[in-house]
Structures are given as C-alpha cells and as structure tokens.
Amino acid sequence: MKQRILIIDDDMDLCRLLKNNLEQEDYYVRTCHDGAAGLKEAMSFEYQLVVLDIMLPQKNGYEVLGKIREKSFVPVLMLTARGSEGDKVSGLRMGADDYLTKPFSNSEFLARVSSLLRRYTVFNTANISGKAIKVGNLLIDKCGREVCKNNSLLDLTAKEFDLLLFFAENPGQVFTKKQIYHAVWNEEYAFDDNNIMVHIRRLRKKIEDNPENPEYIITVWGVGYKFDLQPSQKQLRHGGKNDGA
C-alpha cells in the first residue's frame, strides 16, 4: 500500500511540483491550499506525513499543527519562507517533527520526507503495534508494565513507567514539558517543571548507561524532550548531554 502524504500550502505551483516529485517516488499525495481545508483533510483521512506551510489563509500553519497534535502524532514537516531561529523553535514547540526553509532543493525535500516516513513506519508500526516495545537494550512490556534492560528487570515506579511508555510510543517526536505533563499526569499543567525534570532525571538513571550523556531521553534545547529511535548510534544531537533533567 502506498504511503499517504498531505501537502497544505497556498502556493499552487509549489504544490504541483512537490506532488509530481512525490508521485514519481510512488507516494499517494493530496494537496490543500488553505488551513481550514487542510485541517479538515488531515482529520478526515489517515496520512503518514503532513507537509505544512506556516503562512496560510483562513488558519495559519501553527493553528493547523496545534489541532492536528490534539488528535494525532503523524509526522509534520513545516515549510516556510521564514528563516529565523524563532520560527523554527515555535514550530518545534508545537509538535513539528522537522522544518524546511524555502527555497529548498528537491533532493533535500525528498530526503526529509523519506527520513520522517521511515521513522513513522518502522518504529511506530512495527514496535508499537504489539504488546512489547523493543528499543536498543530496553524491552518494555506494556501489559505487564515491566521494563528489562539487557534482560535484567528494572525497578521503575508507576509514573516512571508511564513516562517511559509515553516516550517509547511516540519515538522521535519532540514534546514540550506541558505536553508531557498533560499526557502522563493527565492533569492541567501548572508550570510544574521541577516535577517533570525530577522524574526524567530518575528515569535516566535507571535506563541510561550514562545518565549524564543520555541516549534514549534526549533534551532538545529550548523546546523539550524526545525519545531517540537509534540509541546505539553515537551521533551529534541537539541536547545530547544532560541539562539536569
């Protein structure tokens, strides 16, 4: 079955170009040219990737992204003519997975698309669909609420397990502390950053080989945290070192 991609951009020429290029790679592609129509399409059908412009009529990209994230963790690639660091951080804070500034090359665009789709299909479908999640040297038993590291059972509190499971079920996705608090604590966020940071610090001590240089729960500076998909690969990452949480 073809992977489905939704492009939401008011530049019709660009949409046609991207659609043609993606279809040549054997993707199924739909396009929408305003935020309201794009949001309706994203909520009505299952897509494996959403390509989303920021500057849109009716609803801007941030509004559309916020609504999508209330219902779905589908990968979102933000497109924009803006190039400031602040715009990039704003998109990531709201749950975007990647960010591409116009103009960009077709090869770079296709590489970003391929990377996001691979992350979504391999780790979201294969690992999460079963009763256990295997990542690196961790085995997370969702039904038994147990976690093994190198075949040794870890002693996690209920909240630590909930936090780890939340991260593992949404690999590669950057979450703000507010989003983590809503999902794991299921309470209104009261700017209780210390509570989240303490739990992350304790969880890192139990699952990481080196909690001061974590491989699983990665700090994304100025945004929040994400769960690394390939912890065994030593590579340069944003927030690769522990910031105290």
Side-chain angles (χ1 to χ4, degrees), residues 5-9 15 18-19 22 29-32 51 109:
I5 299 174
L6 173 63
I7 301 174
I8 308 174
D9 196 309
C15 283
L18 297 181
K19 186 175 187 291
L22 289 169
V29 184
R30 290 291 302 272
T31 61
C32 294
V51 179
F109 173 72

Side-chain angles (χ1 to χ4, degrees), residues 231-244:
S232 62
Q233 293 188 2
K234 303 294 184 182
Q235 56 184 350
L236 181 63
R237 293 174 295 218
H238 293 294
K241 294 197 175 194
N242 195 347
D243 61 346

Side-chain angles (χ1 to χ4, degrees), residues 153-164:
L153 188 65
L154 299 181
D155 182 20
L156 301 186
T157 66
K159 193 59 68 178
E160 287 168 352
F161 179 88
D162 291 341
L163 183 60
L164 177 59

